């Protein structure tokens, strides 16, 4: 079965860094795009970044450009989100998800369990 397992969340001070990991299994990894999403208390879930695992194309929401980097290790079926210069407003539960292409959130049918990221001021 399809599984997405996340790790790497935690508590950091503003300006610090974290690297999130999304380990995938149960499907042909390079046939799918992997996206990162986040949801803060009282707010809608929003897309953060996405990568096409076959061609390496990447996408970022404006608020994280220049601070976050998405990458894929296809040999390990794992996608990473390197998060630098973290701000308190980055605090949220972060999820990874799989879709055929980097497109609208409704197209992402498989989701991980989520990992908490907390940035203190």
């Amino acid at each position: 079965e399809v599984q997405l397992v996340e790790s790497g969340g935690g508590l950091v001070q503003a300006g610090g860094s974290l690297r999130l990991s999304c380990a995938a299994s149960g499907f042909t990894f390079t046939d799918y795009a992997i996206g990162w999403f986040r949801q803060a208390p009282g707010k809608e879930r929003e897309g953060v970044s996405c990568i096409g695992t076959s061609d390496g194309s990447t996408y970022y929401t404006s608020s994280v450009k220049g601070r976050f980097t998405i990458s894929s290790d296809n040999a390990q079926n794992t996608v990473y989100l390197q998060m630098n210069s973290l701000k308190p407003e980055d605090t949220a539960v972060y999820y990874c998800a799989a879709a055929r292409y980097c497109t609208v959130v409704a197209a992402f049918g498989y989701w991980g369990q989520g990992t908490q990221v907390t940035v203190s001021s």
Side-chain angles (χ1 to χ4, degrees):
E1 73 282 8
V2 173
Q3 282 197 353
L4 299 169
V5 180
E6 300 158 341
S7 61
L11 173 65
V12 297
Q13 295 181 353
S17 298
L18 286 172
R19 188 179 73 159
L20 306 184
S21 299
C22 176
S25 62
F27 60 96
T28 302
F29 185 70
T30 53
D31 284 349
Y32 286 82
I34 303 294
W36 286 97
F37 300 81
R38 66 187 181 187
Q39 188 164 23
K43 295 186 178 180
E44 297 286 335
R45 185 171 298 188
E46 65 171 344
V48 177
S49 186
C50 190
I51 187 166
T53 55
S54 61
D55 65 5
S57 57
T58 59
Y59 306 88
Y60 300 92
T61 192
S62 296
S63 63
V64 309
K65 284 183 179 179
R67 300 190 298 122
F68 292 8
T69 303
I70 192 169
S71 61
S72 178
D73 183 344
N74 292 354
Q76 297 296 321
N77 288 359
T78 301
V79 167
Y80 302 95
L81 186 67
Q82 179 67 47
M83 308 165 67
N84 297 329
S85 302
L86 283 162
K87 304 174 180 179
E89 50 262 46
D90 295 317
T91 295
V93 178
Y94 283 70
Y95 301 87
C96 66
R100 292 287 292 172
Y101 307 98
C102 289
T103 184
V104 295
V105 65
F108 288 80
Y110 301 103
W111 293 80
Q113 80 284 1
T115 185
Q116 177 71 47
V117 171
T118 303
V119 184
S120 62
S121 60

